[in-house]
Amino acid sequence: MSLRLRALAPGLAFIAFWIAALEVAARAGWVNRIFSPFPSEIAARLGRVIGSPAFPDALGSTIGLLAAGYLLACAAGILLGLAMGYHRPTYALLEPTLELLRPIPKPALLPPLILLLGLGAAMKVSIVFLGALFPVLINTIQGVRTVDPVLVDVARTFRRGVLKTVFRVVLPASLPMILSGMRVSLGLGFILVTLSEMLTGTHGLGAQLVDAQRAFRVQDMYAWTVVLAVLGLALALSFDALERRLIFWSSKR
Amino acid sequence: MVGMQLRGFALVIGLLLLWELSVRSGVVRSESWPAVSTILQALVTGFKLGGWGEVFGSSLYRMALGFLLAALAGVMLGLVLGASALLHRIAMPTLEIFRVLPSPAIVPPLIFLLGVDDALKVTVIAIAAFFPILLNTIAGVKAADPVHLLVARTFRVPRRRILLGVQLPSALPYVFAGCRISLGIALIVTVVTEMIAGSAGVGYYIVSMQYAMRASEMYAAIILLSAIGYLLNRLFLALERRSLRWAHGLERQAAHG
Amino acid sequence: MAELLEIERVGKTFGAPAEAIVAIRSVDLSVAKGEFVSIVGPSGCGKSTLLQIVAGLVPASAGEVRLEGQAVTAPPTGVVYLFQQYSRSLLPWLSVEKNVRFGFSHARSLSPREAEERCVHYLDMVGLADFRRRYPWELSGGMQQRVAIARALAAEPRMLLLDEPFSSVDALTRLELHGLILELWHKTGLTILLVTHDVEEAVYLSDRIALLTRRPAQVAEVFANALPRPRKPVESREDPRFLELRHELLTRLLQPA
């Protein structure tokens, strides 16, 4: 543990340096106090923001809707990906449709979804689902395709049946690629849920951020930015930890 | 084989027909659910009247600018951080924080510092597109064949020459891959920034059409946007293939043993 | 004859003091100007490491290497080290000619035409002038090794260090390359230090042969080679003096530790 801290020390020192520099610059008036980040101010507001009643609601909304859309997308993506990767006819059938839908930038789908589903939870979960689906799906297909055929043949010789073969052999073997896709999807989902909150201005961290910006509560706005950054970091680190536990056996790591 | 592929295309056509029928037959009556034919009409009209040029022109300009800035910064910083383990350790945590922050969330703070026009958008685009190029360049530099470096040393090639003449070309396959990803990101983030803080461009257009409930135009713009994204990706792949012929040759040689 | 190279009590240890691996215990060897000396030893005995120390690519843990009286601490001018993995030593994004130029273009200021002439001259010496515009992956293993040799010669060094340069080519190509190396050596008057595990190669090519023990390495004995020059590919290998030296060396090498 201390070895990791020692490795991080120069980087953390660098961050501390920048925070200190910003503080000095703001206090000395070299940068605009009101519009620029003012670390001590932000820290104070942060405490208030976290303690405020709006906070759990916003945090819960963001995490909840992100989780809902993301988990649905992963489930759908993995199942569909396994089917398409393993079964050629299924792939041939669905591939053109997928290839047409894939290049559509998912944020651009936000306005249509708003028209169709309104400004609420259903729309947000949908956009996260649509955005997170493709990386997982594509990576699952890739992962299945690159499974060592010997493994699959071994399973077949033991007459394990298609379902068992797929779930007990193909799935674990494709896990590194699937996880790689899931990681991209998580980032994308986070961006989409934040964006949808910012555009609709209803619940969620993004909404609070935009709210603060419009009301010119600048240091509050920075505080909400910090919250989002911390959440993003937490998501990334959690995913890393999960990945390490799941694929400790993979040489690709 | 061919039969299977045909079924795939048939599915697409079938779905589109279903969509068209759902509107024509009156099953779905909604302003937000236009018929495929009306969407196509709006698409064509835009071309005829030259409207698309205006809408996409400014977006593509901002995207290109943001992407170029990101590429320049990403490659330069990537070379330096890839070559020096110490600098890498110092800079990475700071960069990580910006990387995990969702790009839409960067916009409001920057509005106060840069206003709402092009400077803001290009900055956000550049920040978002910067990371894949940076990370890939670092990986590329680190993946350099140590034998290449030893060769440079035995011939006493000066340090700067090594960086630009050996480590950079060696990292090019990675750099290209990062650039391709960044190009896609640049396009998306251009749209996103225009949706949040726009007055021109595709993102602003799509959101405006949403407010005006002009669904056909909205969908038409989305279709065109997707097509452009797809084309840019293919063009870049072609460019990549031409520039990296030596890398492909190397792979082939390795495969033959 | 002046001593060009002096290796004095050179030792090399790897790893932390607690679990140190002594690769080389103590090696003493001198090489005169214009000599062709081989170092033979069992696999893993540290002969490549020794050569890299002489090349200035790896620091010695003990002792000193002197080139014309000057201590070697970094790759010295006038010495080129040729890698065992020759195909990896050629830069894949550069053509054959540019690879050759890579060795000297930074050291002297030559006009483009002079540089080109020099490249062609040395490529001609190895018989590859017609291939100058090709890329490394388009060439066979033997040809790649010849490009590496041309590149080394083009830098016009005083001494060449060859690290098992012919171990990965087929037997026939190896014989051709032997002939080439001897020819080049006669023409240029270079000093050559060759590391090899192939006893016959050492006997065929060199003036003297240093036999190293197993790890930790020391010089067991230095053999003078009475085989007359010029050496002929078939006849020299049937000469009783060749066979005698070969017999002696092989017996010593195959002795149990």
Side-chain angles (χ1 to χ4, degrees):
Chain A
M1 187 54 197
S2 74
L3 194 68
R4 260 195 107 198
L5 267 168
R6 254 195 300 154
L8 281 173
L12 294 175
F14 193 56
I15 295 179
F17 165 75
W18 279 111
I19 296 179
L22 265 175
E23 182 76 17
V24 166
R27 277 187 197 266
W30 295 334
V31 295
N32 189 323
R33 249 175 197 228
I34 305 179
F35 292 145
S36 308
F38 197 155
S40 49
E41 269 280 342
I42 298 175
R45 301 298 179 95
L46 196 57
R48 274 212 309 212
V49 151
I50 297 182
S52 74
F55 184 73
D57 174 58
L59 186 67
S61 176
T62 301
I63 294 184
L65 296 176
L66 172 61
Y70 179 67
L71 292 170
L72 273 171
C74 288
I78 293 177
L79 286 173
L80 194 58
L82 286 173
M84 285 177 72
Y86 195 71
H87 191 231
R88 279 232 138 242
T90 309
Y91 179 82
L93 178 66
L94 295 174
E95 201 243 347
T97 315
L98 244 55
E99 273 299 294
L100 265 167
L101 293 175
R102 188 160 64 113
I104 303 178
K106 306 305 174 296
L109 289 178
L110 211 40
L113 275 178
I114 292 177
L115 279 183
L116 290 170
L117 296 170
L119 300 169
M123 179 272 295
K124 291 177 192 164
V125 172
S126 305
I127 189 73
V128 170
F129 173 80
L130 285 174
L133 178 66
F134 286 88
V136 176
L137 176 62
I138 290 170
N139 270 43
T140 305
I141 296 176
Q142 264 284 78
V144 171
R145 287 251 175 100
T146 53
V147 168
D148 191 346
V150 174
L151 284 177
V152 180
D153 285 340
V154 167
R156 285 225 196 95
T157 55
F158 284 106
R159 298 172 166 280
R160 301 201 93 204
V162 175
L163 273 177
K164 277 237 180 91
T165 308
V166 168
F167 282 99
R168 295 292 187 85
V169 177
V170 176
L171 178 55
S174 345
L175 212 45
M177 278 233 80
I178 295 179
L179 281 171
S180 173
M182 281 174 71
R183 176 201 297 276
V184 173
S185 281
L186 187 56
L188 203 50
F190 189 35
I191 290 178
L192 288 167
V193 76
T194 307
L195 181 64
S196 58
E197 291 164 354
M198 287 173 76
L199 289 180
T200 58
T202 49
H203 306 273
L205 296 171
Q208 294 292 344
L209 178 66
V210 163
D211 206 40
Q213 175 230 323
R214 296 214 179 110
F216 278 82
R217 284 180 280 120
V218 180
Q219 303 304 332
D220 273 349
M221 174 193 75
Y222 282 115
W224 286 107
T225 309
V226 170
V227 171
L228 276 167
V230 170
L231 180 56
L233 199 59
L235 287 173
L237 291 174
S238 314
F239 195 91
D240 279 343
L242 180 69
E243 192 181 21
R244 264 197 301 270
R245 298 209 70 206
L246 282 179
I247 55 173
F248 55 87
W249 46 264
S250 172
S251 58
K252 292 178 201 136
R253 292 194 62 243
Chain B
M1 252 322 165
V2 183
M4 285 203 290
Q5 281 182 339
L6 279 179
R7 251 184 278 163
F9 285 113
L11 180 65
V12 175
I13 307 224
L15 286 171
L16 287 171
L17 277 173
L18 212 64
W19 183 347
E20 180 79 8
L21 279 172
S22 69
V23 177
R24 297 262 171 178
S25 65
V27 167
V28 181
R29 276 179 210 285
S30 168
E31 293 208 20
S32 344
W33 189 259
V36 178
S37 45
T38 19
I39 296 176
L40 289 173
Q41 238 176 339
L43 194 59
V44 170
T45 315
F47 278 113
K48 279 207 266 210
L49 299 179
W52 292 134
E54 227 180 283
V55 169
F56 281 88
S58 62
S59 291
L60 288 173
Y61 161 74
R62 276 188 285 276
M63 177 195 89
L65 204 54
F67 173 74
L68 285 170
L69 283 172
L72 217 65
V75 172
M76 288 198 317
L77 198 57
L79 278 178
V80 171
L81 294 186
S84 160
L86 178 63
L87 288 177
H88 184 249
R89 272 197 309 164
I90 292 179
M92 270 329 269
T94 310
L95 291 171
E96 267 298 290
I97 293 181
F98 283 98
R99 191 178 69 91
V100 295
L101 189 56
S103 35
I106 300 182
V107 178
L110 284 181
I111 288 183
F112 286 112
L113 298 172
L114 296 168
V116 288
D117 44 345
D118 280 1
L120 166 78
K121 300 192 190 101
V122 172
T123 307
V124 177
I125 297 167
I127 292 176
F130 169 75
F131 285 99
I133 299 180
L134 173 74
L135 294 174
N136 269 42
T137 305
I138 291 177
V141 173
K142 291 201 167 177
D145 193 337
V147 174
H148 294 338
L149 295 173
L150 286 173
V151 168
R153 283 180 60 204
T154 193
F155 284 107
R156 293 167 55 100
V157 178
R159 193 84 191 73
R160 219 188 51 174
R161 259 278 181 116
I162 295 183
L163 194 65
L164 294 175
V166 180
Q167 287 176 301
L168 176 55
S170 178
L172 271 181
Y174 290 79
V175 173
F176 265 97
C179 280
R180 194 162 28 95
I181 297 172
S182 281
L183 197 58
I185 290 180
L187 186 61
I188 296 178
V189 176
T190 306
V191 174
V192 167
T193 50
E194 291 163 354
M195 287 165 92
I196 301 177
S199 50
V202 191
Y204 176 69
Y205 182 81
I206 294 178
V207 169
S208 308
M209 294 301 111
Q210 171 216 328
Y211 283 156
M213 305 274 270
R214 283 163 64 183
S216 314
E217 280 91 335
M218 183 182 69
Y219 282 108
I222 294 175
I223 292 175
L224 199 48
L225 177 64
S226 314
I228 290 181
Y230 182 78
L231 266 167
L232 281 174
N233 193 36
R234 301 303 293 205
L235 278 171
F236 201 87
L237 269 170
L239 177 67
E240 197 174 334
R241 215 165 302 153
R242 293 205 71 207
S243 317
L244 294 182
R245 250 181 316 190
W246 57 264
H248 299 312
L250 200 65
E251 269 171 46
R252 247 180 287 143
Q253 182 190 263
H256 291 323
Chain C
M1 272 201 293
E3 298 291 40
L4 182 64
L5 177 71
E6 284 158 62
I7 305 171
E8 191 179 313
R9 285 202 287 262
V10 162
K12 182 66 186 172
T13 311
F14 288 105
E19 332 134 328
I21 301 175
V22 183
I24 303 172
R25 173 159 298 146
S26 180
V27 167
D28 290 85
L29 186 62
S30 299
V31 179
K33 190 153 179 243
E35 259 201 302
F36 196 133
V37 174
S38 291
I39 300 176
V40 294
S43 300
C45 71
K47 41 192 203 293
S48 285
T49 311
L50 178 63
L51 204 64
Q52 288 176 348
I53 292 175
V54 174
L57 293 171
V58 167
S61 309
E64 193 178 65
V65 173
R66 281 190 300 275
L67 186 71
E68 283 185 341
Q70 300 269 51
V72 170
T73 46
T77 44
V79 175
V80 173
Y81 174 94
L82 252 97
F83 291 79
Q84 191 174 356
Q85 317 97 313
Y86 43 81
S87 62
R88 277 169 68 191
S89 78
L90 297 180
L91 302 178
W93 54 86
L94 294 178
S95 65
V96 162
E97 182 179 343
K98 294 232 176 78
N99 258 288
V100 172
R101 196 186 301 207
F102 179 81
F104 64 84
S105 61
H106 56 278
R108 347 244 153 168
S109 43
L110 295 170
S111 73
R113 207 169 45 89
E114 287 172 327
E116 188 181 337
E117 274 170 20
R118 202 202 254 203
C119 290
V120 174
H121 172 71
Y122 285 102
L123 278 172
D124 203 36
M125 276 177 101
V126 299
L128 287 178
D130 291 333
F131 289 84
R132 42 198 265 247
R133 306 228 186 276
R134 297 289 187 89
Y135 281 81
W137 46 270
E138 295 179 275
L139 306 178
S140 71
M143 291 161 85
Q144 287 173 351
Q145 183 59 302
R146 284 192 269 162
V147 174
I149 292 172
R151 180 175 64 182
L153 292 176
E156 290 176 356
R158 293 171 282 174
M159 185 163 78
L160 272 187
L161 305 172
L162 305 177
D163 188 358
E164 302 201 43
F166 312 127
S167 60
S168 352
V169 291
D170 64 85
L172 231 49
T173 312
R174 195 176 309 154
L175 294 181
E176 283 171 12
L177 291 173
H178 285 170
L180 177 66
I181 271 290
L182 280 181
E183 187 190 318
L184 294 170
W185 178 63
H186 280 299
K187 247 196 240 185
T188 58
L190 270 175
T191 310
I192 299 187
L193 186 56
L194 168 79
V195 155
T196 181
H197 60 267
D198 183 345
V199 164
E200 298 192 9
E201 178 172 277
V203 176
Y204 180 69
L205 294 174
S206 19
D207 294 321
R208 284 190 299 143
I209 302 170
L211 177 64
L212 292 186
T213 61
R214 266 178 229 285
R215 209 203 306 142
Q218 286 175 177
V219 178
E221 195 173 327
V222 178
F223 295 83
N225 191 347
L227 197 58
R229 291 197 189 267
R231 309 234 167 118
K232 310 222 170 79
V234 183
E235 292 89 341
S236 298
R237 290 191 162 91
E238 293 166 341
D239 190 307
R241 284 164 284 198
F242 178 96
L243 297 171
E244 206 181 298
L245 188 52
R246 172 181 172 277
H247 177 92
E248 176 77 34
L249 285 166
L250 279 176
T251 316
R252 297 284 290 271
L253 273 172
L254 292 174
Q255 254 168 20

